[in-house]
């Protein structure tokens, strides 16, 4: 079976959304290696933004992440935040993508995340030895790149307008869920008690 997306296929919203929603292990059925090799950093970030939209549509925090092999440009893992959907405090976009990629050497990979990583995700990123992190929204959550750069991890900012707008809307609509995702339920309870 020939993959649907090939070198001649336009890298438009429909194609990138299909990549976001297709299970990672099945991506070779959807797109060939040439299509992946020609994807830009902005394309991968848009896939992360579509994953963030998926989480938002499910009632969760809009954060998505994609892990890409720096040489082949193949997607090795992807995920979205499922704090609410799975009732799990650390199922963030980055942790979901790392889990999806599995037990691999992350040193020659880039992690594209639709929002600046929290402290937990930052710790996991340097523990797994990523080579590069690309952040799609530093507007709603400033990047604390020092812990990553101190460990030799390249940090790039490539803001995606869709990711920035979506997270701002989410934060305005669900401030307590945003606070819980970053600091836990105790922070939400403390905020309620002080109001």
């Amino acid at each position: 079976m020939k993959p649907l997306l090939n070198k001649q296929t336009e890298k438009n919203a429909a194609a990138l959304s299909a990549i976001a929603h297709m299970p990672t292990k099945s991506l070779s059925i959807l797109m060939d290696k040439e299509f992946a090799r020609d994807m830009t950093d902005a394309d991968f970030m848009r896939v992360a933004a579509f994953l963030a939209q998926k989480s938002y549509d499910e009632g969760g925090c809009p954060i998505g992440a994609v892990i890409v092999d720096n040489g082949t440009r193949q997607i090795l893992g992807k995920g979205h935040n499922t704090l609410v959907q799975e009732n799990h405090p650390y199922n963030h976009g980055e942790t979901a993508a790392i889990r999806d990629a599995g037990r691999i050497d992350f040193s020659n990979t880039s992690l594209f995340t639709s929002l600046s990583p929290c402290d937990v995700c930052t710790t996991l990123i340097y523990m797994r030895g990523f080579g590069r992190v690309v952040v799609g929204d530093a507007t709603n959550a400033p990047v604390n790149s020092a812990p990553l750069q101190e460990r030799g991890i390249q940090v790039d900012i490539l803001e995606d307008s869709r990711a920035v707008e979506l997270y701002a809307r989410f934060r305005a609509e669900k401030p307590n869920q945003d606070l819980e995702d970053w600091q836990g339920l105790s922070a939400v309870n403390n905020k309620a008690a002080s109001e």
Side-chain angles (χ1 to χ4, degrees):
M1 175 179 198
K2 277 180 88 168
L4 180 64
L5 307 177
N6 57 48
K7 189 169 182 65
Q8 288 75 38
T9 309
E10 181 184 352
K11 289 163 185 65
N12 58 24
L16 299 177
S17 179
I19 292 167
H21 289 84
M22 174 77 84
T24 304
K25 290 184 184 344
S26 301
L27 285 176
S28 62
I29 295 168
L30 178 64
M31 63 181 187
D32 67 16
K33 291 179 181 180
E34 288 183 343
F35 182 90
R37 192 171 27 255
D38 290 342
M39 287 180 70
T40 65
D41 284 357
D43 294 330
F44 289 118
M45 187 56 71
R46 184 50 55 100
V47 172
F50 279 122
L51 287 161
Q53 181 70 53
K54 178 178 175 21
S55 182
Y56 179 84
D57 292 345
E58 294 171 352
C61 304
I63 305 166
V66 178
I67 298 169
V68 176
D69 182 280
N70 291 338
T72 65
R73 304 292 280 177
Q74 298 293 309
I75 293 174
L76 304 175
K78 54 191 177 63
H80 64 287
N81 186 301
T82 57
L83 167 89
V84 172
Q85 303 92 309
E86 295 181 11
N87 193 32
H88 192 293
Y90 293 115
N91 276 354
H92 291 183
E94 300 91 340
T95 60
I98 292 168
R99 185 178 65 238
D100 187 45
R103 295 172 58 207
I104 65 169
D105 179 354
F106 292 98
S107 64
N108 190 35
T109 66
S110 293
L111 172 70
F112 292 81
T113 178
S114 67
L115 186 72
S116 298
C118 69
D119 291 341
V120 170
C121 292
T122 296
T123 301
L124 188 57
I125 289 166
Y126 68 70
M127 284 178 62
R128 292 292 157 224
F130 279 86
R132 178 177 178 229
V133 174
V134 184
V135 177
D137 178 359
T139 300
N140 290 300
V143 178
N144 179 10
S145 59
L148 298 173
Q149 291 173 330
E150 288 169 5
R151 289 165 172 83
I153 300 169
Q154 180 181 334
V155 178
D156 296 318
I157 309 233
L158 178 63
E159 287 210 310
D160 181 279
S161 59
R162 177 184 217 116
V164 172
E165 183 277 325
L166 180 63
Y167 203 85
R169 181 170 13 123
F170 162 75
R171 183 170 275 164
E173 293 170 353
K174 299 181 178 179
N176 284 345
Q177 190 175 326
D178 173 53
L179 182 60
E180 177 189 354
D181 191 53
W182 283 89
Q183 298 179 26
L185 278 175
S186 62
V188 175
N189 294 335
N190 290 340
K191 177 185 165 198
S194 68
E195 292 177 344

